[in-house]
Amino acid sequence: MQRSNIFDYKNYLYFKIAALIILVAFAAYLVFEPAVGHYGGSFLGYGLGIISACMVLWMAWYGVRKRRYRSAGSTQGWLSAHIYLGTALTVLVTLHSGFHFGLNVHTLAYALLLIVVISGFFGNYTYMIYPRMMSENMGEDSLDSLLLRIAEADKLARQIALVMPDAINNTVARACRETSIGLGLIEQLKGYQPNCPSAQAVDDLTELGKDLSPEQRKLYRELYTIMVRRLSLVKRARQDLMYRSRLGIWLYLHVPFAIALLVAMTAHIIAVFVYW
Amino acid sequence: MINCLLIKISYNSRGLPVRSYRTIHSHELMLGRGAECNVHLPDPRLSMHHAVIKLNDEGQPVIQAMNGELEVDGALIPGMVLTHGTHIMVGPYELRVEPAPPDVNLAISLALAHRLPDDFQDLKSRTHQPLKNASSFKRRLSIALAALIAVVFLGLPLLQILVPQVQTSMAELPFGFDRVWSPGRISPSHMHFGSQCVNCHQQPLQKVSDKACLSCHQDTAAHITDPALQKKAFNAAHRFVGTTRCAECHEEHKAPHPIAKQDNGMCVKCHGNIKVINPNSTLSNVHDFDSDHPEFKLTFKTGNNPQAITRIPQNEKARLVENSGLKFPHSQHVGKVQGPNGIWDVRELSCTTCHAAVGKEMRFTPLSFKNNCSSCHADQLTVGANELKLSVPHGNEESVFNMLKLNAPKQFSAYSDTLKTNGCAYCHNIVESKAGDAVPWRTAPLNVNDDWFSKAQFNHGAHRTQQCISCHKVEDSESSADVAIPDRKSCLQCHSGNKPKHKRIASNCMSCHNFHQAHRGDALNTGEKISDKDVDVLLSINKQPK
């Protein structure tokens, strides 16, 4: 039997709670409409606002809690609640706003919340699909074992290239010497490197293998096979790095904007009560 | 021919140099990766034919680069003479010219100076960590965002509010730091000062007071004209309305929504149970125009001054008699009527022939004999027969009687009686003079009603798509005493209460009534100007109007 995951934790307990919250909030929104239309300062608006603020603080506490070794409840349960209640929170806050947006601290706080939630959704998505794709990509290998196999191929290719014309030798040597994996952030996220020396080498070898002596041809074929296999290994290593970087990139937004949200929310609440 | 001693230096597993000697006897020494080279150096960093050593014309050995590169002290050279002590880099190999033993003319040593790096470690060093520096990036971004928001959206606005010098120095600017706190659009009429929050939000942590509103709206009238009642009623209302600040009904930052509340909520809080506010009130409880609004009370003038009015409910039909002082049957003034020039002069009269609407609200200009009646009715009355005929103009009684006295002193009383019974009395009510009056009788003073619904507003403009007669049934009215003002039931044919009903328009309190009842500048009952400039308009208007 499959173990429960963060989504169906305790038979979708938090999903049910979140759905209930959303339904109640919508019902209240439809029933208690102030004459001037919905806004954050109506009774319903204040109610939704207070609940939302508490939920934001609780969501933020998850970040603190997960960095501790000991605390109440299972981490899986907390994460499940974090995801489902975070989604419900977005609905509450939208209703709290009454769909009034402008260039002010209030909409800023809302926008920050959306960034946090959307990046969270993306993180969720990556955790749903990438681990499986990662193991599909790597099979039994680890990144180190892949590198080791690339290094072996390097050695072999160089050996053969020693007796090849200079152009072929140089191409192979350059591929072995200059291939890098996950050069910068963009390359890591794309899982693709433009002007990759290994891919270049395979292309060049096709071109350079045309006028060779018959005895060189045999070696050339061997070399070509090695280089092609080597390129696929390099690509797999890059793919692995891509998955790992995509699994982490959403936190670049999720965490800093969550902190920004806490500050903006404080400013939002202070602003409302200073100019009561 | 070169007779060369080639010393290859390699390093054993303990790192110690091992020299192997070989003598080559050849025309030239080819250094390179190629198997056919007589100095074979198997390293991928070398070219197939990297360099060649041969004798020059003077018989000295020289080295020349072929497909590869030669390097002396970091500089690339095409070739050089080999003398004792020369050392050159041939790719990763270091070539030294050693002291030559007697039987050879050149001795060189070759040592691999730069070993090929370990492939795995090398590749590992070129494999980068996914999301390197992620935590420091996140920390720096967090701090930067938090600091930016704290300064722009909290620090600067608070600075402006709490430091008076900043506040005053920014007063003239198009907007202040606290602009970012504005929760919504300001209504257009307040926009010109609304950019500076302090104009309304005078005290931090306090709701906007009426004082701020009254710095402009000084002449806003109270809800109830009687100041004592106003005070009493609003003190009572305080208990369950909560507050009677201006801002309770006039909510700002809600544009384009109108600034005044348009719903019945606040009205019904008091008028739904008016006895709680004032036990002596004669008003009935109202929640909804459709369900429990009382019959309209029509305002009748009882005299010439504005206070001389009486208000009669429309269900008391017997009392609904207008005493205008005129005899005017509407029935004879509608449709085809005969003009003054005999039977061929037929004119078509409609309501608008006399009742001319002006302005957007389509208020009606007062009627006058000169403008409205005289186009059909002669402006002179002829009395007497044949040679004693006398025409008297439309005008006041004194000039008419003076004319009679002057032109027909003998027939004065006869003519006067004619006018009293048929001439003037054709249109006017006649009243007998009191003792001592210079004239024997007078026409009754005109007292035409011009505001039937003095406690409400009726906008004819909003009803312009309707026929006049669909509300005002005057076609069969034989007497000017008839009142043709539609009643509540007639309104309810097209209007409903708070909620729209089938083919009926939703109409709430504000559709007909104004909260600031006396806002037209004069008190309804006393007719005097209201100019109370006290702070809490609704609570403290207890002084007598000046």
Side-chain angles (χ1 to χ4, degrees):
Chain A
M1 198 182 110
Q2 203 191 352
R3 281 189 60 215
S4 72
N5 61 25
I6 50 172
F7 298 109
D8 56 12
Y9 182 81
K10 283 197 180 161
N11 198 19
Y12 295 100
L13 171 68
Y14 292 109
F15 172 76
K16 288 170 188 167
I17 294 177
L20 187 71
I21 291 175
I22 292 173
L23 282 179
V24 170
F26 262 111
Y29 190 81
L30 291 178
V31 173
F32 303 108
E33 182 172 0
V36 291
H38 286 288
Y39 64 105
S42 67
F43 277 109
L44 177 69
Y46 275 133
L48 288 171
I50 291 166
I51 295 170
S52 306
C54 295
M55 282 173 82
V56 166
L57 292 178
W58 184 82
M59 297 281 148
W61 181 249
Y62 172 79
V64 178
R65 189 223 166 262
K66 84 174 191 136
R67 286 170 176 77
R68 296 189 170 180
Y69 291 106
R70 268 178 300 167
S71 51
S74 73
T75 306
Q76 202 180 33
W78 270 73
L79 180 57
S80 182
H82 186 81
I83 292 168
Y84 282 123
L85 299 185
T87 311
L89 163 70
T90 317
V91 176
L92 292 196
V93 170
T94 309
L95 297 183
H96 168 64
S97 79
F99 299 95
H100 293 296
F101 306 108
L103 295 173
N104 52 42
V105 65
H106 318 290
T107 302
L108 172 80
Y110 181 72
L112 292 174
L113 180 96
L114 285 191
I115 293 174
V116 173
V117 171
I118 289 169
S119 64
F121 279 159
F122 179 76
N124 220 328
Y125 168 78
T126 60
Y127 274 90
M128 272 162 63
I129 62 158
Y130 285 145
R132 203 183 63 234
M133 289 167 80
M134 272 173 90
S135 43
E136 273 171 14
N137 176 47
M138 293 304 267
E140 303 263 294
D141 290 315
S142 67
L143 183 62
D144 267 4
S145 74
L146 270 188
L147 296 183
L148 213 55
R149 284 166 64 188
I150 296 171
E152 265 171 29
D154 280 355
K155 202 179 242 166
L156 221 59
R158 265 205 309 262
Q159 205 91 54
I160 298 171
L162 271 184
V163 295
M164 291 283 171
D166 282 346
I168 292 183
N169 181 57
N170 286 344
T171 308
V172 172
R174 181 166 164 265
C176 297
R177 213 169 47 233
E178 290 176 9
T179 300
S180 62
I181 291 160
L183 190 60
L185 184 64
I186 305 295
E187 284 87 0
Q188 285 182 7
L189 290 175
K190 277 159 74 177
Y192 167 78
Q193 192 166 321
N195 306 323
C196 163
S198 299
Q200 192 70 46
V202 172
D203 287 350
D204 289 351
L205 279 183
T206 325
E207 211 39 46
L208 293 168
K210 277 173 186 159
D211 29 49
L212 289 174
S213 60
E215 62 268 27
Q216 274 180 328
R217 275 214 80 81
K218 193 169 161 253
L219 283 173
Y220 166 78
R221 251 179 256 125
E222 201 178 323
L223 175 66
Y224 188 76
T225 321
I226 291 170
M227 290 307 283
V228 170
R229 201 183 65 221
R230 190 180 160 283
L231 177 61
S232 83
L233 291 172
V234 167
K235 279 184 175 166
R236 271 172 65 194
R238 287 209 181 111
Q239 198 81 3
D240 186 52
L241 231 66
M242 178 189 86
Y243 291 134
R244 287 206 269 159
S245 58
R246 284 193 190 175
L247 277 176
I249 189 67
W250 61 282
L251 283 169
Y252 272 52
L253 296 181
H254 198 68
V255 174
F257 279 86
I259 289 169
L261 166 64
L262 288 178
V263 180
M265 192 177 83
T266 311
H268 160 68
I269 294 169
I270 290 176
V272 166
F273 289 104
V274 170
Y275 284 165
W276 191 206
Chain B
M1 287 294 255
I2 303 174
N3 203 8
C4 174
L5 177 67
L6 179 68
I7 309 164
K8 274 199 178 176
I9 304 173
S10 55
Y11 293 86
N12 68 9
S13 56
R14 274 179 277 173
L16 297 172
V18 179
R19 292 173 162 241
S20 64
Y21 298 86
R22 188 156 71 99
T23 322
I24 303 168
H25 189 70
S26 171
H27 275 293
E28 52 178 32
L29 300 179
M30 180 65 73
L31 289 78
R33 180 163 60 78
E36 68 276 18
C37 298
N38 39 17
V39 183
H40 180 221
L41 302 170
D43 189 287
R45 289 167 286 186
L46 286 182
S47 298
M48 208 66 141
H49 304 100
H50 201 90
V52 67
I53 297 173
K54 51 189 175 188
L55 296 177
N56 65 6
D57 297 341
E58 284 103 58
Q60 292 168 309
V62 291
I63 187 164
Q64 281 173 351
M66 290 187 69
N67 297 327
E69 287 167 351
L70 299 175
E71 202 182 310
V72 173
D73 298 334
L76 294 179
I77 54 159
M80 71 182 295
V81 178
L82 296 173
T83 52
H84 173 59
T86 313
H87 66 106
I88 305 173
M89 294 302 293
V90 182
Y93 288 88
E94 186 180 17
L95 183 149
R96 272 178 187 279
V97 180
E98 306 275 341
D103 54 340
V104 296
N105 44 9
L106 179 66
I108 52 174
S109 70
L110 278 164
L112 183 62
H114 304 300
R115 297 176 62 81
L116 266 178
D118 178 3
D119 283 329
F120 175 64
Q121 290 304 333
D122 190 34
L123 185 61
K124 223 172 158 180
S125 73
R126 280 182 274 118
T127 302
H128 301 268
Q129 278 295 314
L131 307 182
K132 225 166 105 196
N133 306 328
S135 67
S136 95
F137 175 84
K138 281 184 266 186
R139 196 178 316 118
R140 277 181 291 145
L141 184 60
S142 303
I143 293 171
L145 281 175
L148 181 73
I149 293 171
V151 170
V152 174
F153 294 96
L154 197 56
L156 291 178
L158 282 177
L159 178 79
Q160 189 183 358
I161 295 159
L162 299 177
V163 182
Q165 288 91 329
V166 181
Q167 186 74 266
T168 38
S169 61
M170 294 190 71
E172 300 294 316
L173 296 180
F175 51 81
F177 292 134
D178 46 8
R179 161 68 183 76
V180 296
W181 284 4
S182 168
R185 276 172 197 271
I186 299 173
S187 49
S189 47
H190 291 162
M191 234 180 230
H192 64 289
F193 62 82
S195 54
Q196 292 293 338
C197 307
V198 72
N199 286 332
C200 297
H201 298 275
Q202 293 171 337
Q203 288 291 322
L205 300 172
Q206 280 180 20
K207 291 189 167 186
V208 175
S209 72
D210 294 344
K211 204 170 160 189
C213 308
L214 286 176
S215 49
C216 295
H217 299 276
Q218 292 160 338
D219 57 350
T220 306
H223 180 52
I224 302 171
T225 327
D226 175 10
L229 184 59
Q230 160 85 12
K231 186 176 167 117
K232 190 179 153 205
F234 275 83
N235 271 330
H238 236 281
R239 279 210 307 276
F240 56 98
V241 175
T243 158
T244 48
R245 292 183 311 130
C246 302
E248 210 59 41
C249 288
H250 300 280
E251 287 188 294
E252 191 44 282
H253 294 285
K254 299 267 180 292
H257 202 279
I259 192 166
K261 268 192 181 170
Q262 301 295 309
D263 66 315
N264 290 355
M266 293 286 274
C267 308
V268 169
K269 273 182 181 165
C270 293
H271 284 274
N273 197 359
I274 195 71
K275 291 278 193 273
V276 175
I277 302 294
N278 178 16
N280 306 325
S281 175
T282 54
L283 301 175
S284 32
N285 290 339
V286 187
H287 295 86
D288 186 287
F289 178 61
D290 194 10
S291 61
D292 59 356
H293 191 283
E295 285 299 326
F296 299 155
K297 282 182 182 169
L298 299 185
T299 304
F300 285 86
K301 279 187 180 176
T302 53
N304 264 334
N305 74 30
Q307 296 102 302
I309 56 163
T310 174
R311 303 186 70 236
I312 303 169
Q314 276 185 306
N315 50 357
E316 296 178 26
K317 292 228 158 42
R319 291 176 64 204
L320 296 180
V321 176
E322 189 184 11
N323 193 6
S324 60
L326 282 174
K327 297 169 185 165
F328 180 84
H330 269 98
S331 58
Q332 290 177 30
H333 291 83
V334 180
K336 287 194 170 120
V337 297
Q338 193 185 321
N341 303 323
I343 59 167
W344 302 112
D345 184 10
V346 176
R347 300 180 177 193
E348 177 109 34
L349 293 186
S350 69
C351 306
T352 49
T353 314
C354 300
H355 299 284
V358 288
K360 253 195 290 192
E361 292 197 354
M362 293 178 66
R363 298 201 147 271
F364 293 97
T365 42
L367 302 177
S368 68
F369 177 82
K370 196 176 153 204
N371 291 338
N372 301 100
C373 308
S374 65
S375 54
C376 298
H377 295 276
D379 58 355
Q380 297 209 323
L381 286 177
T382 310
V383 285
N386 302 329
E387 66 276 9
L388 294 172
K389 227 183 236 177
L390 190 60
S391 288
V392 288
H394 192 257
N396 65 13
E397 295 91 340
E398 277 82 1
S399 53
V400 170
F401 286 123
N402 283 345
M403 193 166 174
L404 290 184
K405 276 181 193 158
L406 204 66
N407 294 322
K410 288 181 185 162
Q411 281 83 15
F412 178 81
S413 73
Y415 283 4
S416 163
D417 284 349
T418 312
L419 290 175
K420 184 181 173 185
T421 52
N422 193 16
C424 302
Y426 189 72
C427 297
H428 288 273
N429 287 347
I430 303 295
V431 288
E432 293 296 336
S433 296
K434 293 174 195 136
D437 199 339
V439 294
W441 50 266
R442 285 179 181 276
T443 54
L446 292 190
N447 210 3
V448 182
N449 251 0
D450 54 5
D451 190 3
W452 295 95
F453 296 130
S454 55
K455 297 253 182 184
Q457 287 82 44
F458 182 84
N459 184 347
H460 273 101
H463 295 79
R464 67 188 175 281
T465 54
Q466 299 299 313
Q467 298 273 320
C468 308
I469 52 165
S470 60
C471 296
H472 301 284
K473 311 279 183 214
V474 293
E475 284 167 305
D476 303 321
S477 163
E478 301 283 348
S479 159
S480 55
D482 293 345
V483 173
I485 299 300
D487 57 3
R488 176 169 160 266
K489 208 190 281 172
S490 151
C491 295
L492 282 172
Q493 286 175 359
C494 299
H495 291 269
S496 73
N498 299 341
K499 297 262 153 54
K501 297 207 171 141
H502 180 62
K503 290 189 176 176
R504 286 160 67 195
I505 305 159
S507 314
N508 58 17
C509 306
M510 304 307 280
S511 306
C512 302
H513 297 284
N514 245 333
F515 178 83
H516 298 285
Q517 186 58 257
H519 82 295
R520 280 169 288 180
D522 49 11
L524 184 72
N525 293 332
T526 59
E528 289 183 72
K529 291 281 174 200
I530 289 183
S531 62
D532 200 303
K533 293 177 183 169
D534 212 315
V535 176
D536 189 341
V537 205
L538 306 182
L539 260 184
S540 60
I541 297 183
N542 52 359
K543 302 173 201 160
Q544 285 301 314
K546 290 159 203 122

